[in-house]
């Protein structure tokens, strides 16, 4: 092999702590290296051109680039060597930025380490072979998990582009958190007025199949051809018969049931249509509240239903569907704020969450839009908002900023004044975070026009005094203690990953961070991709974000899926297992460990052997590590290639 | 070119591409300074790691071997790290029977987001190997000096 | 009728159904039995069982996959059969297993030691069992040795003197002498300093000639001519004559047997350099037994432990950094 080595300075990112010229000089002496140089930015256009030039000029048959992580630019350089006529797998990278220059300051040690990493890369490259992808057909259908605003946007965009969309929503209606909001910032326009029509579009779009009250049970397969199992949870109402007339909800005797949609701010019936604009507008029984399920005596809804849709014996239903791509848009949940004992830990009825307050403000809410204290139904005069409850607080393991609370608190203060012109709002804040179009102006308006009093400081205690609540905190700008008498305290509770998000991530085989938010492929350049091909992210499941950002991500994820499924055939990664039939004894150990069932028995000249189903193999290499005689080898990560890397290190 | 005399020992890491290699990248992006001894071999999955790679490294010149994969249940390939966990745990039992200090090999799980944790793992493991010092090496066959043999004929 | 005669009768009876029955015959040396392949009823007369029937006939079974074969097994041999079955390397319906109770077998190396110079082992003309004694005929007369002094180590820790899962069992079952394998040999070795342990291997392995007799005698080494030791693709081993490559072959062998080794000790017995290679395998077996409560060839209901996993591994304590 004729190998060329390129040591990238990455400006000063690498060259600052690695002597790149020295590494290039050392590399020139490595076996099969015929050309070696250092370069300012290998990934830039002149950098790539120089590689292509060198391949031609020095008749290189293999290239090593020592630069950043291969997770960043391996595809870039593979394309570059391909442009010069080399097979893209005759290329190796040495990671001397993330793994060397950025983590050590000792120039001598870094230079030495870089040279060794290049030596490893050269040793492996000498055993690389040309690999060519195979092609396989794709299923032109996409699964959208989660029917909040991000999922709705992704679904509609994909459906408009002609793709079939399957949407799975855990709740009985789509709409997500946005459906619960009264108004949205910074325009203060009606949330359900802008979301409602989009929800109707989902219901009516010929390309969209909606499974509400359903969850993804299992996912198998791979990009282009996922097999998804969906559990449609029993609602005890046959939705093909239910017309959404609501007669059952009126006659249901269990009127004191917890109202989930209204965040417990009101009561509802045990058979319930979550809210008037629900999509689908179908009734469902909440078994824990239903008299029939609790006492065995009732059955009123079944008797009253004009279409006979109520079926108490209804069971969960399992459906499976094949899709080519998946968009996860599972959103967020509020963190459990009751860990804050200083705010009463949930014992004071007039300390409520911001989402509960939204329901009190909403005309379709339990109070019809009249702001009333939960304790006695009085209109509050003094309303205190406490920000950063469960955000930016290491003591409850929520060090991150939830991002949207500053803005919705400002909005709620404005709405409070609109609803109760004589009221006074107080906002305890840490910092006002309002980057965004028209956002900062909005937070000024609430203070200057609506006369909300903003107090910079944290609240240390909320305690009852008579029928009021006393809010004690610091005013760090004045350097004083303050105590405010409040009729109502609204906590701007931060968000966290949706309940069960890690569990779904495991099913989708995507990564998630310490807080359960799904990991994007790259924090800047792949914000809606994941590291699992064919799985994309939209909305707050990736990290908390407001409505405009969620919608933007929904569209972005849809664009990615549309791009993926616009092709009739996909390229399969050729880094898959290969069987050397001459060495295989057909013992079948590889078959038993393969996570993808990608290996099957076969026969050669009457002897038992195995073979790999090329489009099913995902290239994990478990089989390779299992085969005692090494008859099955993972291409590009063969035993010999890994051993060569080990030996390159151990020899010295 | 060798490990820096008196400063570094030979430590080889086998990292799965999806979680731990990414975690090491995350540590780099965060500029989390680490000891310089470790050299990383990138593999697709911890399940790809034949325990014999570890034995090979330890027998042929490594002072320490570190394996890191995705946390159990988070494997990019669903099950690879479950197999790895059993195999790595079992192979560890071979070290004391060979006269190799079992602390020369450790395996752990680091996700792509855990840059800080990766830094801690590298620091701890490197310190552990430095405490143990250079490993004893079994001798290879003496090099055959063909010229001398011809001269002797 | 003696057990040997009964077994001969059983073998003859089995013959019409199977292409052959594998057992033992007298070997060219009086202390060593040789494998016997009974194809006709007349062949069965050469069959010998007992103290000298040392080698493990299970090693031949995988070659017969697809046909039907009979095999006479001691308890330890039966474990190998069990493990081969568990891994699907042979099929239950293709093997007729004939078992008998085993009181232990000879360790020829120990005889030389026990003779203590009284006679050159090569001069032994005949050998027979008499109760607790081994009686050797030599040019200078009969020599009597206590069997306890010349019985194989593995027999002292044998938990299964009666072949498990036999189709036919001849004789009365025996009680095992011990109730558990305490791996005292492994523990004793690991009580030495690390330095001494490696010294030991360096010295022992320097005698290895890489003949692979250990591998060829192993009933679980089913790769045969496809063994990685003979291959350069993958190139796990080189032609180097150093202790390092010799040691590494033993590591490969032990690692390939992790969770599979039934402890028959054939590797060690076959070694012409008398290197105690079973020790490495037993170190792994102990660990596998600790972690997964799995004894190869005995607990074969589920898949072998290293070809399976559990979501939670109650016995594995992962490193908490």
């Amino acid at each position: 092999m004729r190998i060329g080595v390129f040591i990238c300075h990455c400006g000063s990112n690498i060259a600052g702590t690695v002597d790149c010229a020295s590494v290039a000089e050392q590399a020139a002496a490595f076996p099969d290296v015929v050309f070696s140089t250092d370069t300012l930015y290998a990934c830039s256009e002149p950098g790539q051109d120089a590689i292509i030039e060198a391949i031609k000029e020095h008749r290189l048959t293999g290239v090593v680039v020592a630069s950043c992580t291969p997770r960043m630019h391996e595809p870039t350089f593979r394309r570059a060597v391909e442009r010069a006529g080399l097979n893209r797998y005759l290329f190796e990278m040495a990671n001397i930025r993330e793994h060397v220059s950025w983590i050590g300051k000792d120039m001598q040690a870094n230079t030495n380490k870089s040279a060794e990493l290049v030596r490893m890369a050269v040793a492996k490259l000498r055993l690389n072979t040309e690999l060519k992808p195979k092609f396989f057909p794709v299923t032109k259908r996409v699964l959208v998990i989660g029917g909040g605003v991000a999922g709705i946007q992704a679904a509609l965009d994909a459906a408009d582009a002609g793709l079939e969309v399957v949407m799975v929503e855990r709740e009985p209606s789509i709409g997500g958190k946005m459906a619960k909001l009264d108004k949205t910032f910074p325009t203060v326009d009606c949330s359900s007025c802008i979301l409602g029509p989009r929800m109707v579009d989902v219901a009516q779009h010929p390309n969209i199949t909606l499974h509400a009250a359903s969850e993804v049970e299992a996912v198998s397969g791979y990009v282009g051809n996922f097999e998804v199992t969906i559990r449609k949870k029993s609602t005890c109402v046959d939705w093909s018969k239910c017309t959404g007339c609501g007669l059952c909800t009126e006659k249901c005797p269990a009127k004191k049931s917890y109202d989930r949609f209204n965040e417990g701010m009101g009561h509802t019936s045990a058979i319930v249509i979550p809210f008037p604009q629900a999509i689908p507008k179908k009734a469902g029984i909440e078994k824990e509240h239903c008299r029939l399920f609790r006492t065995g005596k009732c059955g009123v809804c079944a008797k009253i239903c004009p279409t006979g849709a109520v079926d108490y014996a209804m069971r969960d239903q399992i459906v499976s569907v094949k899709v080519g791509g998946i968009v996860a848009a599972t959103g967020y949940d509020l963190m459990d704020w009751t860990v804050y004992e200083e705010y009463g830990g949930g014992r004071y009825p007039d300390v409520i969450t911001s989402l509960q307050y939204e329901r009190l403000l909403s005309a379709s809410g339990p109070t019809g839009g009249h702001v009333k204290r939960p304790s006695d139904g009085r209109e509050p005069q003094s309303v205190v908002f406490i920000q950063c409850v469960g955000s930016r607080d290491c003591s409850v393991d929520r060090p991150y900023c939830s991002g949207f609370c500053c803005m919705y608190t400002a909005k709620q203060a404005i709405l409070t004044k609109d609803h109760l012109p004589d009221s006074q709002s107080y906002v305890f804040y840490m910092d006002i975070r309002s980057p965004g179009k028209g956002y900062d102006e909005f937070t000024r308006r609430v203070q200057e026009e609506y006369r909300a009093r903003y107090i910079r400081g944290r609240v240390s205690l909320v305690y009852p005094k008579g029928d009021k609540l006393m809010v004690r905190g610091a005013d760090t700008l004045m350097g004083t203690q303050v105590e405010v008498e409040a009729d109502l305290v609204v906590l701007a509770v931060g968000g966290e990953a949706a309940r069960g998000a890690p569990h779904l991530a495991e099913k989708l085989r995507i990564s998630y961070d310490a807080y359960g938010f799904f990991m994007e492929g790259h924090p800047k350049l792949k914000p809606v991709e994941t590291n699992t091909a064919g799985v994309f992210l939209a909305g707050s499941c990736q990290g908390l974000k407001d409505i405009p950002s969620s919608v933007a991500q929904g569209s972005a994820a849809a664009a990615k899926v549309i791009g993926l499924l616009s092709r009739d055939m996909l390229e399969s990664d050729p880094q898959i297992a290969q069987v050397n039939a001459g060495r295989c004894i057909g013992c079948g150990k590889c078959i038993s460990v393969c996570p993808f069932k990608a290996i099957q028995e076969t026969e050669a000249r009457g002897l038992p052997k195995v073979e790999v189903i090329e489009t099913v193999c995902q290239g994990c290499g478990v089989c390779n590590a299992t085969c005692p005689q090494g008859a099955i080898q993972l291409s590009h990560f063969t035993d010999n290639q890994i051993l060569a890397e080990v030996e390159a290190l151990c020899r010295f | 070119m060798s490990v820096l005399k008196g400063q570094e020992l030979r430590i080889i890491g086998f990292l799965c591409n999806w979680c731990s290699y990414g975690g090491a990248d995350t540590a780099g992006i965060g500029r989390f300074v680490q000891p310089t001894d470790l050299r990383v071999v990138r593999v697709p999955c911890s399940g790809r790691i034949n325990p014999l790679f570890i034995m090979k490294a330890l027998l042929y010149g490594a002072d320490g071997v570190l394996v890191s994969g995705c946390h159990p249940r988070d494997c990019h390939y669903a099950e690879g790290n479950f197999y790895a966990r059993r195999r790595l745990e079992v192979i560890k039992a071979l070290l004391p029977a060979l006269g190799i200090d079992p602390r020369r090999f450790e395996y752990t799980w680091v996700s792509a987001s855990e840059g800080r944790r990766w830094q801690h793992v590298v620091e701890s493991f490197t310190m552990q190997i430095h405490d143990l010092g250079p490993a004893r090496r079994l001798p290879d066959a003496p090099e055959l000096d063909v010229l001398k043999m011809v001269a002797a004929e | 009728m003696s057990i040997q005669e009964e077994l001969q009768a059983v073998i003859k009876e089995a013959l019409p159904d199977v292409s052959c029955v594998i057992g033992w015959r007298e070997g060219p040396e009086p202390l060593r039995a040789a494998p016997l392949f009974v194809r006709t009823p007349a062949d069965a007369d050469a069959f010998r069982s007992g103290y000298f029937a040392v080698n493990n006939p299970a090693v031949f079974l995988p070659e017969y996959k697809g046909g039907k074969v009979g095999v006479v097994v001691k308890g330890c041999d039966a474990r190998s059969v069990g493990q081969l079955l568990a891994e699907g390397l042979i099929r239950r319906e293709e093997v007729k297993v004939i078992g008998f109770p085993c009181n232990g077998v000879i360790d020829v190396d120990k005889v030389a030691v026990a003779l203590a110079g009284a006679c050159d082992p090569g001069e032994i003309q005949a050998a027979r069992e008499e109760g607790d004694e081994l009686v050797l005929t030599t040019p200078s007369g009969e020599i009597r040795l206590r069997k306890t002094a010349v019985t194989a180590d593995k027999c002292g820790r044998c938990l299964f003197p009666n072949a498990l899962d036999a189709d036919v069992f001849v004789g009365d079952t025996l009680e095992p002498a011990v109730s558990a394998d305490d791996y005292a040999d492994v523990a004793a070795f690991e009580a030495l300093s690390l330095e001494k342990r490696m010294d030991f291997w360096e010295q022992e392995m320097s005698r290895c000639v890489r003949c692979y007799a250990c591998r060829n005698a192993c009933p679980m080494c089913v790769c045969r001519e496809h063994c990685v030791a003979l291959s350069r693709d993958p190139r796990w081993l080189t032609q180097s004559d150093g202790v390092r490559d010799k040691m590494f072959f033993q590591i490969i062998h032990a690692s390939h047997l992790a969770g599979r080794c039934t402890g028959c000790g054939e590797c060690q017995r076959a070694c012409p350099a008398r290197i105690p290679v079973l020790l490495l395998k037993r170190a792994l077996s102990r660990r596998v037994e600790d972690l997964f409560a799995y004894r190869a060839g005995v607990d074969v209901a589920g898949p072998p432990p290293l070809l399976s996993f559990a979501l939670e591994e109650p016995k594995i304590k992962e490193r908490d950094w």
Side-chain angles (χ1 to χ4, degrees):
Chain A
M1 193 174 257
R2 295 175 59 82
I3 294 174
V5 176
F6 301 83
I7 314 294
C8 177
H9 291 221
C10 194
S12 63
N13 278 305
I14 294 170
T17 57
V18 174
D19 182 346
C20 296
S22 161
V23 176
E25 202 178 304
Q26 293 179 56
F30 296 162
D32 287 355
V33 174
V34 296
F35 177 76
S36 177
T37 187
D38 53 321
T39 166
L40 195 56
Y41 283 106
C43 63
S44 67
E45 199 179 353
Q48 293 189 43
D49 286 347
I51 294 171
I52 293 168
E53 276 305 300
I55 291 172
K56 289 178 179 156
E57 192 186 330
H58 301 278
R59 292 174 292 114
L60 302 179
T61 56
V63 170
V64 170
V65 173
S67 59
C68 51
T69 172
R71 285 161 55 99
M72 176 92 185
H73 274 318
E74 193 172 58
T76 313
F77 292 121
R78 279 181 174 170
R79 280 194 299 272
V81 300
E82 213 162 39
R83 283 205 299 280
L86 276 188
N87 182 278
R88 68 169 83 161
Y89 293 96
L90 299 176
F91 167 77
E92 283 296 324
M93 266 181 108
N95 182 350
I96 62 168
R97 193 178 73 175
E98 282 82 350
H99 289 195
V100 181
S101 71
W102 277 354
I103 58 164
K105 297 198 174 85
D106 180 334
M107 186 95 162
Q108 192 199 359
N110 281 359
T111 304
N112 180 64
K113 182 175 176 183
S114 299
E116 288 194 3
L117 294 181
V118 173
R119 177 188 281 280
M120 286 167 69
V122 168
K124 173 165 188 279
L125 175 61
R126 294 175 73 208
L127 299 171
N128 282 14
T129 51
E130 293 195 1
L131 299 176
K132 301 224 166 62
K134 295 273 191 298
F135 292 86
F136 61 91
V138 298
T139 307
K140 296 196 178 230
R141 187 178 297 125
V142 54
L143 171 73
V144 176
I145 308 172
V149 67
I152 289 172
Q153 185 73 19
L156 289 173
D157 282 4
D160 285 345
L163 291 177
E164 278 184 53
V165 178
V166 177
M167 177 179 272
V168 174
E169 166 59 51
R170 179 157 63 186
E171 296 296 327
S173 168
I174 60 170
K177 295 286 183 292
M178 187 175 170
K180 299 190 179 194
L181 305 183
D182 177 33
K183 304 240 168 20
T184 59
F185 61 77
T187 45
V188 202
D189 47 353
C190 161
S191 186
S192 59
C193 307
I194 51 180
L195 182 66
R198 308 292 278 160
M199 291 165 62
V200 174
D201 288 348
V202 169
Q204 294 181 344
H205 204 296
N207 284 352
I208 300 180
T209 310
L210 173 61
H211 298 287
S214 301
E215 285 191 73
V216 171
E217 180 100 337
V219 179
S220 62
Y222 46 93
V223 58
N225 295 288
F226 292 104
E227 189 84 44
V228 182
T229 316
I230 299 164
R231 176 178 290 272
K232 291 175 76 83
K233 289 175 289 186
S234 159
T235 55
C236 297
V237 176
D238 182 345
W239 282 5
S240 64
K241 293 180 185 162
C242 177
T243 60
C245 70
L247 206 55
C248 53
T249 65
E250 285 166 28
K251 300 291 179 196
C252 174
K255 285 279 187 290
K256 287 277 175 197
S257 304
Y258 181 83
D259 188 346
R260 257 188 316 141
F261 182 76
N262 283 319
E263 296 282 315
M265 285 291 93
H267 294 291
T268 186
S269 44
I271 187 164
V272 62
I273 296 170
F275 55 105
Q277 303 89 341
I279 297 288
K281 194 173 181 188
K282 305 284 180 188
I285 292 178
E286 309 255 324
K287 286 186 185 175
E288 68 270 35
H289 306 305
C290 173
R291 279 199 189 170
L292 186 82
F293 284 98
R294 286 172 57 215
T295 66
K297 282 191 209 122
C298 188
V300 169
C301 49
K303 277 181 220 129
I304 203 86
C305 178
T307 60
V310 177
D311 172 10
Y312 300 113
M314 189 176 180
R315 291 179 170 220
D316 289 2
Q317 215 188 323
I318 302 288
V319 292
S320 13
V321 57
K322 275 194 90 170
V323 297
I326 298 175
V327 176
T330 51
Y332 70 100
D333 276 315
L334 293 190
M335 69 93 63
D336 176 16
W337 71 272
T338 57
V339 297
Y340 284 94
E341 278 298 319
E342 59 267 45
Y343 304 152
R347 289 186 305 278
Y348 312 139
D350 293 334
V351 178
I352 61 173
T353 70
S354 46
L355 205 51
Q356 289 174 322
Y357 195 50
E358 290 287 341
R359 297 315 302 149
L360 292 185
L361 291 166
S362 170
S364 66
T367 56
H370 297 295
V371 178
K372 293 178 185 169
R373 306 207 313 171
S375 61
D376 53 14
R378 273 199 307 119
E379 283 187 353
Q381 289 307 302
S382 164
V383 181
V384 172
F385 295 91
I386 304 176
Q387 293 205 188
C388 296
V389 178
S391 296
R392 303 177 68 193
D393 189 349
C394 293
S395 70
V396 294
D397 194 28
R398 290 291 179 277
Y400 55 81
C401 171
S402 293
F404 42 51
C405 320
C406 288
M407 292 305 298
Y408 73 61
T409 300
K411 174 200 72 182
Q412 290 182 342
I414 287 177
L415 293 175
T416 304
K417 196 76 175 169
D418 283 345
H419 282 255
L420 309 163
D422 297 332
S423 67
Q424 175 63 51
S425 293
Y426 302 85
V427 178
F428 283 90
Y429 70 101
M430 286 168 72
D431 299 289
I432 299 173
R433 301 200 159 171
S434 53
K437 210 164 151 183
Y439 284 16
D440 204 57
E441 298 91 314
F442 187 72
T443 60
R444 283 188 173 282
R445 249 174 74 207
V446 64
Q447 296 172 63
E448 290 161 6
E449 242 174 77
Y450 289 83
R451 294 285 161 201
R453 269 200 60 201
Y454 268 61
I455 304 164
R456 188 175 187 278
R458 288 204 79 118
V459 171
S460 57
L461 190 64
V462 176
Y463 64 96
K465 188 176 175 191
D467 65 346
K468 302 221 178 238
L469 291 159
M470 299 304 292
V471 181
R472 183 186 294 167
D475 185 334
T476 57
L477 294 180
M478 302 296 287
T480 54
Q481 283 277 331
V482 287
E483 219 169 57
V484 180
E485 202 177 66
D487 298 309
L488 184 68
V489 175
V490 180
L491 306 177
V493 178
E496 63 182 15
R499 167 174 56 87
H503 200 52
L504 179 66
E506 285 157 16
K507 289 177 187 165
L508 295 173
R509 299 194 298 272
I510 59 176
S511 307
Y512 54 93
D513 68 15
Y515 305 102
F517 293 112
F518 302 152
M519 290 272 290
E520 63 278 15
H522 185 277
K524 277 122 194 148
L525 300 178
K526 291 182 175 177
V528 295
E529 289 100 321
T530 66
N531 277 326
T532 298
V535 180
F536 304 94
L537 306 176
S540 286
C541 63
Q542 175 265 341
L544 296 168
K545 51 183 63 67
D546 61 12
I547 293 165
S549 301
S550 295
V551 171
Q553 263 201 345
S555 284
K560 287 289 166 189
V561 170
I562 295 162
L564 175 74
L565 302 184
S566 65
R567 283 166 283 185
D568 294 324
M569 303 290 271
L570 285 183
E571 260 186 30
S572 70
D573 189 335
Q575 300 174 82
I576 56 169
Q578 267 194 322
V579 181
N580 177 349
R583 296 188 55 74
C584 175
I585 62 160
C587 69
K589 288 187 169 69
C590 51
I591 297 175
S592 70
V593 298
C594 176
F596 304 97
K597 300 189 175 62
I599 310 175
Q600 60 192 15
E601 281 179 42
T602 178
E603 232 184 60
R605 277 182 261 132
L607 294 170
K609 303 282 174 188
V610 301
E611 64 185 3
V612 174
I613 311 166
E614 290 180 340
T615 51
V616 179
C617 175
Q618 296 299 293
C620 66
V622 172
C623 54
N624 197 164
T626 303
C627 179
Q629 67 273 26
I632 191 162
Q633 292 286 333
L634 178 61
S635 301
H636 213 59
F637 292 96
T638 63
D639 286 348
N640 278 358
Q641 286 170 324
I642 296 171
L643 285 170
E645 290 180 85
V646 171
E647 278 163 16
L649 288 172
C650 286
R651 279 181 52 220
F652 294 90
Chain B
M1 191 182 70
S2 64
V3 286
L4 292 176
K5 283 250 148 49
Q7 191 178 325
E8 283 184 4
L9 290 172
R10 177 58 79 210
I11 303 177
I12 302 180
F14 294 94
L15 271 59
C16 84
N17 177 53
W18 303 100
C19 292
S20 293
Y21 197 93
D25 283 351
T26 304
I29 292 162
R31 311 298 198 274
F32 302 155
V33 173
Q34 299 152 44
T36 52
D37 310 48
L38 179 75
R39 309 283 183 266
V40 170
V41 176
R42 181 167 72 129
V43 291
C45 176
S46 54
R48 168 65 188 94
I49 299 167
N50 189 327
L52 288 170
F53 289 137
I54 297 150
M55 300 310 301
K56 181 90 183 178
L58 287 173
L59 211 63
Y60 286 69
D63 300 307
V65 175
L66 176 66
V67 167
S68 187
C70 305
H71 287 276
R73 293 175 188 271
D74 295 352
C75 177
H76 182 75
Y77 302 102
E79 296 174 352
N81 55 0
F82 288 127
Y83 288 109
R85 178 165 61 183
R86 285 195 163 193
R87 291 166 186 185
L88 298 171
E89 188 68 29
V90 167
I91 205 69
K92 220 173 192 305
L94 204 48
L95 300 179
L98 290 166
I100 298 173
D101 195 306
R103 289 170 293 179
R104 291 195 184 276
F105 162 56
E106 299 282 4
Y107 71 96
T108 189
W109 318 121
V110 173
S111 80
S113 65
E114 293 175 326
R116 275 283 174 216
R117 190 174 136 74
W118 177 250
Q119 178 193 34
H120 179 65
V121 166
V122 174
E123 280 175 348
S124 312
F125 187 66
T126 307
M127 202 186 294
Q128 182 168 316
I129 298 306
H130 276 264
D131 287 347
L132 293 170
R136 171 170 164 192
R137 282 149 175 72
L138 283 176
D140 191 9
E143 293 255 343
L144 293 183
D145 194 333
V146 180
L147 288 178
K148 249 185 204 163
M149 289 164 73
V150 171
E153 282 275 309
Chain C
M1 239 193 331
S2 70
I3 285 182
Q4 180 169 303
E5 286 161 342
E6 270 189 69
L7 283 168
Q8 283 169 337
V10 169
I11 292 168
K12 285 179 190 168
E13 227 170 276
L15 262 189
D17 279 348
V18 298
S19 60
C20 90
V21 178
I22 309 168
W24 305 269
R25 60 181 299 154
E26 269 179 29
E29 292 173 43
L31 296 182
R32 296 178 201 269
L36 170 70
F37 298 84
V38 180
R39 292 190 176 83
T40 64
D43 293 345
D45 297 334
F47 176 84
R48 293 290 179 273
S49 64
Y51 198 53
F52 306 108
V54 176
N55 63 291
N56 184 345
V59 72
F60 301 108
L61 291 179
E63 288 169 38
Y64 287 87
K65 193 178 178 187
K68 182 143 190 191
V69 66
V71 64
V72 188
V73 288
K74 308 184 289 292
C76 46
D77 309 333
R79 284 184 65 179
S80 304
V81 176
Q83 189 63 23
L84 288 168
L85 287 169
E87 295 181 25
L89 296 165
I90 56 175
R91 297 191 192 100
R92 189 67 190 88
E93 67 277 13
E94 291 174 0
V95 190
K96 179 149 186 147
V97 182
I98 303 163
F100 65 96
C102 171
N103 259 322
V105 292
I106 189 170
D107 181 338
V108 178
D109 289 346
K110 285 188 180 178
V111 173
V113 177
L115 284 171
C119 141
D120 184 331
E123 293 172 353
I124 297 168
Q125 291 158 331
R128 66 178 191 278
E129 292 177 76
E130 258 186 40
D132 290 343
E133 287 184 326
L134 175 66
V135 184
L136 304 173
T137 314
T138 74
S140 47
E142 274 193 354
I143 298 177
R144 287 173 178 270
L145 297 175
R146 307 271 319 155
K147 267 165 88 179
T148 47
V150 293
T151 296
D153 286 345
K154 66 169 178 178
C155 305
R157 54 180 177 249
C158 176
L159 295 171
F160 304 96
N162 313 300
L164 299 167
D165 191 27
D167 297 304
V168 185
F169 190 84
V170 172
D172 301 324
T173 56
L174 291 170
E175 280 302 309
V178 290
S179 60
D181 186 348
D182 56 6
Y183 292 96
D185 49 339
V186 181
F189 183 67
E190 289 185 358
L192 299 173
S193 71
L194 288 168
E195 199 65 19
K196 286 230 172 80
R197 281 177 251 170
M198 198 174 267
D199 284 345
F200 174 84
W201 287 117
E202 192 173 335
Q203 204 172 7
E204 292 292 316
M205 292 314 299
S206 66
R207 297 199 305 276
C208 171
V209 292
R210 285 175 71 174
C211 68
Y212 303 127
C214 47
R215 179 198 69 191
N216 296 343
C218 175
M220 302 314 297
C221 275
V222 292
C223 304
R224 304 291 162 192
E225 66 270 31
H226 299 302
C227 174
V228 285
L230 306 178
S231 161
R232 298 299 170 258
D233 184 19
R235 186 176 175 274
W236 284 98
L237 287 166
T238 67
Q239 289 92 328
S240 163
D241 190 35
V243 165
R244 211 168 55 175
D245 268 32
K246 295 170 176 178
M247 187 79 242
F248 193 61
F249 174 71
Q250 288 306 325
I251 292 171
I252 292 175
H253 194 186
S255 105
H256 285 177
L257 282 169
R260 308 173 63 226
C261 176
T262 57
C264 72
E266 285 292 272
C267 48
Q268 185 160 321
R269 189 189 63 83
C271 178
R274 295 182 181 140
I275 303 170
V277 291
L278 181 62
L279 186 64
L280 296 177
K281 287 138 204 163
R282 283 182 47 80
L284 291 181
S285 296
R286 179 176 68 169
R287 190 78 184 118
V288 167
E289 202 175 319
D290 278 355
L291 288 174
F292 312 116
Y294 185 91
R295 290 166 303 179
V298 180
D299 307 304
V300 293
L306 294 187
L307 296 182
S308 55
F309 62 83
L311 297 184
E312 305 290 337
E313 301 277 8
K315 290 284 187 68
I316 294 182
K317 287 198 181 51
E318 286 156 28
R319 187 78 160 80
D320 184 25
W321 292 91

